[in-house]
Amino acid sequence: MKIKTLLIANRGEIACRIARTARASGIIPVGVHSQADVNALHVREIGKSVCIGAGPASQSYLKIDAVIAAAQSVGADAIHPGYGFLAENPDFARSVEAAGMIFMGPTPETLERFGDKASAKEAAVAASVPVISGAEGARSDPEQIAEEVRQMGLPVLLKAVGGGGGRGQRLVTDETTLVEDIEGALREAKSTFGSEGLLLERFLPEARHVEVQIAGDGKGHVVHLFERDCTLQRRHQKVIEEAPAWGLPRTLLDEIAHDAVRLGETLDYRGLGTVEFLVAGDEYFFLEVNPRIQVEHPVTEAITGLDLVALHLRIAEGAGLGLVQDDLKINGHAVEARLYAEDPAMHFAPSTGTLTTLSLPSGLRIDSGVEEGDAVTPYYDPMIAKLIVHASDRETALARLATALDHVAVEGVETNRSFLSALARDPDFEKMQVHTRWIDGRIDALTQPVPPARPALWKSAAATLFVAAGRQDAAAEPWANRDTFTGWRLGLGGDALEAGQRVTLTGADGVSEELRVGPVKPGHRYTVLAEDGAAITLSAREIAPGRWRFGEGDAVFVIDARLHAGVIEMDTPEGRLVFHPAAPLDFAGADAVADRAVASPLTGMIVEVKVTEGQSVTEGDIVAVMESMKLEISIRAAAAGIATNITVSNGDMVDRGQVIAEILPFEE
């Protein structure tokens, strides 16, 4: 059956990604969204979407009836669940098929088999796939669990039978906390997965996580698309994934892949799936099956050249796999990093807010579900983007990933960018001397921010850019007139640099510094004086919109830069840096209001004069509003009195230090 209309029962980057392939395959994609996602990127990209409920997932994306009704309302032939939400729900799969539509995933029976870790383990045993030793079947009685743990010997891993995605696992290492650990694991299993059943397994302390991508036509034909290594995890959550698994013998990996295929064949597996294993030395053990498309599927696409969503669509239409195992080859190496809105300093707690800045690098694949200006809400997974690099070898792929992460800039929320960058450059990871708990043991070192090699240079460049971009009348060649630029006047005494325009900048480290950008010199040159007295002389010229050429001595560097949303963003050779300029009036005191004179703190345009001649004002009242450096600035009275000698009108250009009004004292 040819699919004509596909409902995508998901959101974010995976909804966007599925829609792109569907459209390229001649299929009309339709989305769903919650009230919180009404303006989300997946709604904008897909073009047609149906609202299915309120913001919380339980009231929208997890409502089976609402999703089915949405699909029926648009005449969908099939539903793709993506990952998460309803992707592994057998009741949802049955409801889709009962409504006469194609469910893009395994059969409901397969979902039930793999949705319970105990039955999944039984299926692996039946297929002669190695499993981790432990108690057979699930347990829910605390006393029985405690007794069997003591018999097995610590450490023991308690796993919720309904868990997935790294959740529902608790490691028991100390008998004094055994009862507490068991009770906590049972509570978590019940509250999160609806079942108190626990599996008891031997714990492998330094294992690698290797998973095999399989695809089946539902009629017994199953192939593997090689393996992925997902060893870099934080609290069982994957952080960086790669394909193929580097540093392991190909004979071992082939054996693992063959076992994954055999497991799929025993169940006539349909669609895409991932069989996960733990590898310890030359041994490997079945972990679980994720019967859906994975977050990390792009690295498999990169090394095989396949579009997995297109393959999934082909299977769903009944056209089979269209390939055999010998058709598949590994090409190069791919690595993926998950950029999240989370705060490493707060134990990686999700960070919500509006993405006031979102700049992602070019030259690699990026799968994202948000754009600049979008909001990260508390309702859903806070992933911002996946950065995927494909290269001829692993060393090159990791180097390119590290560089790409340097050129990511996000403002409005905290992110794990620096953490990912530290991982990509870590020598132990480079040698693959890591295991699934390696990150947890080095988390403090990996979350220490690494400052730029030349912070003073880039801060000086930002200050210069801020001043240069703020010239509203650049066409009049103000660069030749240092008096106009600074507000400094001949004959008034004082040093020209001392009178230079002051700029207070705050970097990503939270440190603020006031810099003085001195008079313009021949060749578009500026001198920037730091608080410690150090001076840097730079030349600066905009050679194309948003592209600047800076010179320091004999060195020349070109950067892309922009001023927006109250921040200065620069893509430098050391990475993408963001600086926050302080409100100009924070440092305008002496120059702007001396002797009751109200002066312009910066060069710019008067947007609105707020007072009239003879009007009474109080301290702090707004005298005028100006626009400078793409910021709107309120110029306030520093004392109470009568406004007089107003010298500007709306639309006038003014220079820094130019008096625009006076505030006379009230008559006594």
Side-chain angles (χ1 to χ4, degrees), residues 465 502 578:
L465 173 69
R502 285 180 282 184
V578 174

Side-chain angles (χ1 to χ4, degrees), residues 58 60-70 79 86 89-96:
S58 61
S60 50
Y61 295 104
L62 291 173
K63 290 177 64 178
I64 293 176
D65 292 345
V67 174
I68 297 295
I79 296 181
L86 297 171
N89 188 312
D91 292 335
F92 178 57
R94 285 194 180 93
S95 297
V96 173

Side-chain angles (χ1 to χ4, degrees), residues 423-627:
L423 286 173
R425 290 183 165 90
D426 190 276
D428 287 344
F429 178 47
E430 183 180 355
K431 300 171 187 174
M432 211 57 197
Q433 301 298 310
V434 296
H435 52 82
T436 55
R437 295 174 60 83
W438 177 81
I439 286 180
D440 294 335
R442 302 187 70 248
I443 197 69
D444 290 340
L446 291 168
T447 52
Q448 293 299 315
V450 179
R454 298 197 61 189
L457 170 64
W458 304 122
K459 192 169 281 191
S460 296
T464 302
L465 173 69
F466 189 61
V467 168
R471 292 297 305 184
Q472 304 287 339
D473 51 351
E477 286 297 325
W479 318 108
N481 188 341
R482 72 179 187 181
D483 300 343
T484 302
F485 171 76
T486 63
W488 183 76
R489 295 290 183 270
L490 290 171
L492 295 181
D495 179 76
L497 183 58
E498 177 67 21
Q501 186 161 305
R502 285 180 282 184
V503 179
T504 299
L505 298 177
T506 304
D509 56 4
V511 177
S512 298
E513 181 179 5
E514 181 182 275
L515 300 99
R516 300 197 180 198
V517 183
V520 179
K521 298 179 179 180
H524 298 245
R525 290 193 296 152
Y526 305 76
T527 297
V528 183
L529 184 68
E531 289 181 349
D532 61 5
I536 293 179
T537 298
L538 296 171
S539 63
R541 184 190 295 269
E542 189 171 21
I543 57 177
R547 173 156 287 197
W548 292 74
R549 182 175 64 217
F550 281 86
E552 182 202 20
D554 295 330
V556 174
F557 47 94
V558 176
I559 67 173
D560 292 322
R562 62 173 178 161
L563 281 74
H564 73 113
V567 301
I568 307 164
E569 180 189 336
M570 306 192 310
D571 196 6
T572 76
E574 288 192 51
R576 198 175 292 267
L577 305 175
V578 174
F579 295 95
H580 295 256
L585 287 185
D586 287 349
F587 55 79
D591 291 328
V593 298
D595 300 325
R596 291 185 172 270
V598 179
S600 170
L602 295 172
T603 298
M605 180 180 71
I606 298 297
V607 176
E608 183 180 5
V609 178
K610 304 286 284 186
V611 298
T612 58
E613 189 75 23
Q615 180 179 331
S616 296
V617 298
T618 60
E619 182 179 347
D621 281 354
I622 298 174
V623 175
V625 177
M626 72 178 300
E627 184 180 282

